[in-house]
Amino acid sequence: MPNTSSHHFYHLLARWLPLKDAANWVLGAVIDTRGSVYRKTGALMLLSDAGDQLGLLSGGCLESDLLLQARKVIALGKSRRLIYDATDEDNIAWRLGIGCGGAAEIVLHPCTAQNQYLHLPQVFSHLQQQQACEYHLAIDDARADFMPCLRAFSQRQHGRVHSSGTGQQLSTLINPVPHLLVLGSGIDLIPVCQLANTLGWRVTLADARLNEGKRAHFPADIETQTVAVTGLDAAFLQQVDAVVIAHHNMELDAVAIAYLESRELCNPYIGLLGPAQRKAQVLAMKGLTEAQLRYPVSGPMGLALGGDLPESIALSVLAECHARLFGSSALPLGAVAQNEFTALANRVVNS
């Protein structure tokens, strides 16, 4: 069942596919930005003449006008390019009262059976297999193609517009949703699964001790496997991007770390329950040291956010996991902005 609260493109496609022939659809894409804007080049959404709006190309302030423009695209059967400029008093973005102060150029293309739905069903099929796609959308007419590729959850990885043999095109990486493997089935893991599910991530809960009574407390739409980590096959583990190890049993945790370290994985985030001393003991049980680990293990896992309830710990753990996956420093945004300003000032002084 698709996550109806997530704006990840995977979940948008999951909601769109059953509806694709029930209405006329338009694919919208941000192809250029200037200044402060909510969505960057490469952002995608789907709109229909039935009033459906799947996704966002702004913070929510442009979508009503985009729906109007999409209906014009459908009525005329022609693509449209739009510029929303909050700095121009004559532009509709000014009249809409957009608060970001920047500008965005957007293209709207018909998405129909005649143009193979811009290959979106095939893209979705690859995303289901935890495989990313490099998506290529023509700017001047409603054409698209794609190439399967390795997933890469790097921070702020935006699309780019460039010239090809048939004109300008937007190239953007469409990643699958991150896949979190939770090893253990204690009550403290319930909010971890709930929060990851809210983020739109794929969540798998695996524990040989899992039973129907325990399963009933976890979100209904996550995957579950009543197996030990050693029962998870290689193909499945290749699809995992993050692992939380929390069996509340040192031997089971040690087995899990040793097994994961022996597999060929896609450099996942691995977090271990408990303090640093416990981590050292768990590693020692399998004759491992930090220096021998192929994949680093965070222990204690999480960021120092404060709070000691399961919900606070879940937020802490997934915040660290999110930062690791997306290549972020996990610093406050104000500090990041100050660092960028200082680096820019230094370059100007030294130039």
Side-chain angles (χ1 to χ4, degrees):
M1 180 182 296
N3 185 321
T4 56
S5 65
S6 173
H7 287 91
H8 190 286
F9 200 59
Y10 168 85
H11 293 294
L12 305 184
L13 290 178
R15 302 204 293 273
W16 167 74
L17 276 170
L19 304 173
K20 66 181 175 62
D21 296 316
N24 297 299
W25 289 88
V26 165
L27 176 68
V30 177
I31 59 174
D32 192 24
T33 66
R34 186 178 71 252
S36 175
V37 292
Y38 289 103
R39 301 299 308 276
K40 302 296 185 180
T41 300
L44 303 169
M45 78 173 295
L46 288 153
L47 308 105
S48 82
D49 56 0
D52 300 286
Q53 300 180 53
L54 302 181
L56 294 167
L57 295 186
S58 73
C61 41
L62 299 179
E63 277 62 30
S64 59
D65 188 68
L66 284 171
L67 184 59
L68 175 64
Q69 300 298 330
R71 285 176 167 146
K72 293 179 181 178
V73 168
I74 292 166
L76 299 174
K78 295 175 60 177
S79 301
R80 295 175 76 86
R81 289 174 70 165
L82 309 164
I83 295 178
Y84 295 94
D85 187 349
T87 66
D88 182 356
E89 294 184 21
D90 295 324
N91 190 270
I92 188 172
W94 179 279
R95 299 195 297 275
L96 289 172
I98 294 173
C100 60
E105 185 172 3
I106 293 169
V107 65
L108 299 175
H109 282 323
C111 183
T112 67
Q114 286 68 41
N115 61 13
Q116 293 79 49
Y117 300 102
L118 298 173
H119 293 289
L120 294 179
Q122 293 92 329
V123 168
F124 180 71
S125 179
H126 284 280
L127 296 179
Q128 284 183 302
Q129 303 304 312
Q130 212 64 17
Q131 188 171 40
C133 292
E134 183 75 28
Y135 189 62
H136 306 291
L137 183 69
I139 302 297
D140 298 322
D141 57 298
R143 292 180 294 105
D145 60 33
F146 71 96
M147 180 180 297
C149 61
L150 296 175
R151 58 193 186 275
F153 302 103
S154 58
Q155 185 189 27
R156 298 184 181 276
Q157 187 169 35
H158 306 311
R160 61 188 180 91
V161 172
H162 57 97
S163 297
S164 66
T166 56
Q168 282 194 314
Q169 69 175 16
L170 168 70
S171 293
T172 188
L173 177 66
I174 303 178
N175 273 307
V177 295
H179 183 185
L180 173 66
L181 171 62
V182 178
L183 299 176
S185 53
I187 59 173
D188 55 337
L189 295 175
I190 296 171
V192 171
C193 293
Q194 289 172 334
L195 182 53
N197 197 41
T198 298
L199 287 170
W201 293 9
R202 175 183 171 188
V203 181
T204 299
L205 179 71
D207 190 348
R209 304 164 300 175
L210 187 64
N211 55 45
E212 291 185 7
K214 288 183 177 180
R215 175 65 180 89
H217 296 291
F218 287 86
D221 52 350
I222 68 170
E223 305 170 34
T224 55
Q225 297 198 36
T226 308
V227 296
V229 65
T230 52
L232 300 173
D233 63 42
F236 172 86
L237 289 174
Q238 279 285 319
Q239 297 183 356
V240 169
D241 302 298
V243 186
V244 168
I245 303 173
H247 293 98
H248 292 278
N249 179 294
M250 292 180 63
E251 177 62 32
L252 293 179
D253 287 353
V255 169
I257 290 177
Y259 185 73
L260 292 172
E261 293 290 335
S262 71
R263 303 293 94 183
E264 293 299 325
L265 308 177
C266 295
N267 192 30
Y269 165 89
I270 300 178
L272 176 66
L273 176 74
Q277 180 183 3
R278 183 181 186 275
K279 173 185 172 182
Q281 293 173 326
V282 167
L283 293 179
M285 291 175 72
K286 292 298 178 181
L288 294 171
T289 65
E290 289 276 2
Q292 293 173 310
L293 297 179
R294 299 172 64 193
Y295 313 112
V297 176
S298 293
M301 57 183 168
L303 301 180
L305 302 181
D308 58 3
L309 295 176
E311 293 78 11
S312 295
I313 293 171
L315 177 62
S316 167
V317 169
L318 288 182
E320 181 187 46
C321 177
H322 193 287
R324 164 68 187 277
L325 290 182
F326 290 89
S328 172
S329 65
L331 290 171
L333 289 175
V336 173
Q338 181 60 46
N339 290 344
E340 291 175 348
F341 177 80
T342 301
L344 177 62
N346 290 336
R347 287 197 297 271
V348 171
V349 169
N350 296 326
S351 63

